[in-house]
Amino acid sequence: MFVWKKKYDAVIREMGRQIVERDDTLMAREATIGRLQRENAKLLERMAVADNQTKAAVTSRDAIRARLDVVGAELDHWRANGQLRDPKTGA
């Protein structure tokens, strides 16, 4: 066999090995990107659920505060008009 043929075959083998190695690297990179995108989507979904729960809790808290204000105003009215008596003293 000619020397140039051996060198040619060696170069072709090396190029084939590099192509396979590059393909493996690209496949691993794409798999990592896909995994990170899926994790990101899950985290965004969890954040949206948490935001909705927070908004619901704030709304509930505001409703409780509003009701407390109404009850407090009623108590103040009853006290001012003598309709609310202390059970211990009767006054």
Side-chain angles (χ1 to χ4, degrees), residues 1 14 25 37 50 52 64 70 80 85:
M1 191 179 281
E14 178 60 23
T25 302
Q37 287 174 336
N52 289 337
I64 291 169
V70 169
R85 302 198 189 297

Side-chain angles (χ1 to χ4, degrees), residues 22-34:
R22 187 174 27 237
D23 285 346
D24 290 345
T25 302
L26 290 174
M27 287 175 57
R29 185 178 301 152
E30 288 173 0
T32 301
I33 290 170

Side-chain angles (χ1 to χ4, degrees), residues 46-61:
R46 286 176 51 193
M47 283 177 51
V49 168
D51 284 344
N52 289 337
Q53 289 174 343
T54 302
K55 288 177 186 175
V58 167
T59 303
S60 176
R61 183 200 64 199

Side-chain angles (χ1 to χ4, degrees), residues 3 5 7 10-11 18-19 22 28 32 36 38-39 47-48 54 56 63 66 71 84 87 89:
V3 173
K5 175 71 170 147
K7 289 181 181 179
V11 168
Q18 289 177 359
I19 289 171
R22 187 174 27 237
T32 301
L36 291 174
R38 287 189 301 275
E39 287 179 15
M47 283 177 51
T54 302
V71 170
L84 185 64
T89 61

Side-chain angles (χ1 to χ4, degrees), residues 4-18:
W4 64 268
K5 175 71 170 147
K6 290 181 182 179
K7 289 181 181 179
Y8 174 81
D9 288 342
V11 168
I12 294 297
R13 276 194 307 275
E14 178 60 23
M15 289 177 67
R17 187 192 62 74
Q18 289 177 359

Side-chain angles (χ1 to χ4, degrees), residues 42-86:
K42 288 178 186 176
L43 290 174
L44 288 174
E45 183 179 330
R46 286 176 51 193
M47 283 177 51
V49 168
D51 284 344
N52 289 337
Q53 289 174 343
T54 302
K55 288 177 186 175
V58 167
T59 303
S60 176
R61 183 200 64 199
D62 291 344
I64 291 169
R65 283 186 179 169
R67 182 67 183 142
L68 184 61
D69 290 342
V70 169
V71 170
E74 288 178 7
L75 283 174
D76 290 342
H77 174 74
W78 292 345
R79 282 188 190 118
N81 293 318
Q83 296 171 330
L84 185 64
R85 302 198 189 297
D86 186 0

